[in-house]
């Protein structure tokens, strides 16, 4: 950069994810270590438009490492999608003397950051989404905590399903991506897992696994469904009609977004927040921080938004091997 950074802003946007607070803490404390002031922008891009902010010091982010959600709140902004709204956001940056913005969130957050960068405001993005579906990073903040939350809930459900010899159909988040469902499905020993990346055949992907599980002596069954693969209640009714089994359907919903972040999410968020500010201080801006090949890297934001991440379908082989099934 042509001039030394004096003040930066930090915001969280889009869906909240456990570990966002750890990232905010890392951004603030790393900035202070570089002699840079930090402004906390509340309610995402909407807050940047409306001047909803507050100065953040080291003590302001104390004791937030273990908290879920985000102390800066989050919101989606229709106004920021307009040219007029983005110009207002730029005006806020100039009025507050902010030299750059660190934006914590997912794909939509980064698209907003890209538009802001095109208007002359340097930005760095930090990936935080429980879906773990951003191509620019092998891992996104919040995924591990969401997985553990779902696993804990399903383990508890299994206890009662086993006692009553029932089938449980559990819907987890994942409108467009099945990373959470497949990871959790393997971890809990699910009888079947449905993800949006693979068009499911009810006979092949549900009926056959349940029949084979029953033939091997199982009296209770666990079906994990990503919300984008199909509605759990409909799949439950199909199971009842086809197999005569009376399933119990559970939609975990937003419980997966909450809770104290795991060690992995706290540590990863801290490293990413540190890297984001260090990159800005070194003149590496208009990029997204991410993990690749075991390290923390930065990727130009336009390139990052074009990158895609494919679900590792070979994990189905692992799932089916654990069920003593022939891969079909």
């Amino acid at each position: 950069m042509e001039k030394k950074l004096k003040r930066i802003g930090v915001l969280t946007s889009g869906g909240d994810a456990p570990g966002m607070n750890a990232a905010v803490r890392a951004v603030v404390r790393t900035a202070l270590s570089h002699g840079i002031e930090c402004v906390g922008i509340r309610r995402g891009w909407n807050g940047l438009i409306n001047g909803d902010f507050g100065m953040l010091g080291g003590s302001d982010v104390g004791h937030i490492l273990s908290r879920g959600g985000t102390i800066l709140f989050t919101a989606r902004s229709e106004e920021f999608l307009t040219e007029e709204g983005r110009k207002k956001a730029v005006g806020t940056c100039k009025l507050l003397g902010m030299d750059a913005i660190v934006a914590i969130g997912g794909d939509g957050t980064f698209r907003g950051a890209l538009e802001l960068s095109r208007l002359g405001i340097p930005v760095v993005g930090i990936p935080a989404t429980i879906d773990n579906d951003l191509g620019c990073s092998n891992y996104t903040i919040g995924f591990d905590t969401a997985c553990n939350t779902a696993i804990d809930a399903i383990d508890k459900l299994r206890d009662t399903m086993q006692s009553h010899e029932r089938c449980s159909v559990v819907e987890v988040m994942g409108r467009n991506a099945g990373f959470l469902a497949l990871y959790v499905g393997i971890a809990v020993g699910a009888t079947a897992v449905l993800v949006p990346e693979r068009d499911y055949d009810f006979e092949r992907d549900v009926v056959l696994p349940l029949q084979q599980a029953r033939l091997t002596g199982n009296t209770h069954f666990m079906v994990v469904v990503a919300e984008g693969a199909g509605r759990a209640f409909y799949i439950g009714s199909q199971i009842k009609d086809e197999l005569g089994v009376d399933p119990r359907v559970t939609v975990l919903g937003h419980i997966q977004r909450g809770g104290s972040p795991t060690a992995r999410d706290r540590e990863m968020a801290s490293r990413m927040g540190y890297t984001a500010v260090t990159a800005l201080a070194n003149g590496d801006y208009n990029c997204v921080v991410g993990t690749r090949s075991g390290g923390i890297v930065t990727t130009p934001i336009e390139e990052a938004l074009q990158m895609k991440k494919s679900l590792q379908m070979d994990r189905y082989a692992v799932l089916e091997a654990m069920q003593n099934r022939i891969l079909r």
Side-chain angles (χ1 to χ4, degrees):
M1 290 185 127
E2 296 181 357
K3 63 178 182 177
K4 176 178 170 57
L5 290 173
K6 295 181 180 179
R7 184 177 299 131
I8 64 172
V10 58
L11 60 82
T12 53
S13 180
D16 62 305
M20 278 184 163
N21 281 328
V24 171
R25 173 181 178 271
V27 167
V28 172
R29 294 197 169 178
T30 304
L32 294 175
S33 74
H34 283 278
I36 302 169
E37 293 180 332
C38 197
V39 178
I41 301 159
R42 293 183 285 264
R43 299 174 180 84
W45 299 121
N46 196 54
L48 189 59
I49 291 172
N50 296 311
D52 188 358
F53 68 92
M55 296 299 297
L56 293 175
S59 60
D60 295 311
V61 293
H63 309 296
I64 68 170
L65 193 62
S66 61
R67 289 173 56 182
T70 164
I71 63 166
L72 294 178
F73 307 105
T74 181
R76 303 186 189 277
S77 176
E78 294 295 326
E79 189 175 3
F80 193 76
L81 298 176
T82 68
E83 183 178 357
E84 183 180 356
R86 292 191 291 271
K87 286 181 178 179
K88 286 182 181 178
V90 171
T92 300
C93 290
K94 292 180 178 179
L95 180 63
L96 300 180
M98 289 189 293
D99 300 311
I101 296 290
V102 176
I104 305 167
D107 183 83
T109 302
F110 299 157
R111 292 191 185 282
L114 175 61
E115 293 300 324
L116 200 63
S117 73
R118 288 172 173 167
L119 294 175
I121 305 298
V123 297
V124 173
I126 297 177
T129 166
I130 67 169
D131 290 334
N132 197 34
D133 61 346
L134 298 180
C136 59
S137 183
N138 291 336
Y139 185 79
T140 62
I141 297 166
F143 179 68
D144 189 61
T145 305
C147 285
N148 278 279
T149 297
I151 289 167
D152 181 63
I154 291 172
D155 284 347
K156 289 180 170 64
L157 283 169
R158 186 183 292 282
D159 290 342
T160 185
M161 292 301 106
Q162 187 171 13
S163 298
H164 293 273
E165 299 182 315
R166 285 176 175 157
C167 173
S168 182
V169 180
V170 181
E171 183 179 303
V172 299
M173 283 188 164
R175 186 175 294 112
N176 301 308
F179 295 96
L180 186 64
L182 189 52
Y183 190 100
V184 167
I186 293 173
V188 301
T191 313
V193 177
L194 306 179
V195 297
E197 290 88 344
R198 176 167 117 161
D199 292 335
Y200 81 88
D201 178 277
F202 185 70
E203 185 71 25
R204 177 198 66 194
D205 296 323
V206 181
V207 173
L208 182 61
L210 264 64
Q211 287 176 335
Q212 292 186 337
R214 186 67 188 92
L215 286 170
T216 57
N218 288 328
T219 58
H220 63 282
F221 317 100
M222 184 64 64
V223 179
V224 176
V225 184
E227 61 181 318
R231 305 312 299 181
F233 284 99
Y234 174 69
I235 292 165
S237 67
Q238 282 186 296
I239 292 172
K240 183 175 182 179
D241 293 342
E242 183 76 17
L243 296 173
V245 176
D246 188 17
R248 293 294 183 268
V249 176
T250 303
V251 178
L252 295 183
H254 284 76
I255 190 174
Q256 295 158 96
R257 290 195 184 280
S260 180
T262 60
R264 184 180 187 188
D265 278 326
R266 298 184 199 193
E267 192 267 352
M268 190 63 72
S270 298
R271 290 170 63 197
M272 287 184 174
Y274 169 84
T275 302
V277 176
T278 302
L280 281 172
N282 292 333
D284 180 14
Y285 52 91
N286 297 343
C287 61
V288 175
V289 174
T291 63
R292 283 204 299 277
S293 303
I296 306 290
V297 298
T298 60
T299 304
I301 193 166
E302 289 195 49
E303 180 182 336
L305 285 168
Q306 293 173 359
M307 297 172 75
K308 304 297 181 184
K309 182 189 291 186
S310 299
L311 186 66
Q312 294 172 305
M313 301 305 289
D314 59 346
R315 287 186 173 177
Y316 266 101
V318 176
L319 180 71
E320 295 181 334
M322 297 302 102
Q323 300 163 341
N324 294 318
R325 284 203 285 140
I326 298 173
L327 183 63
R328 297 178 189 275

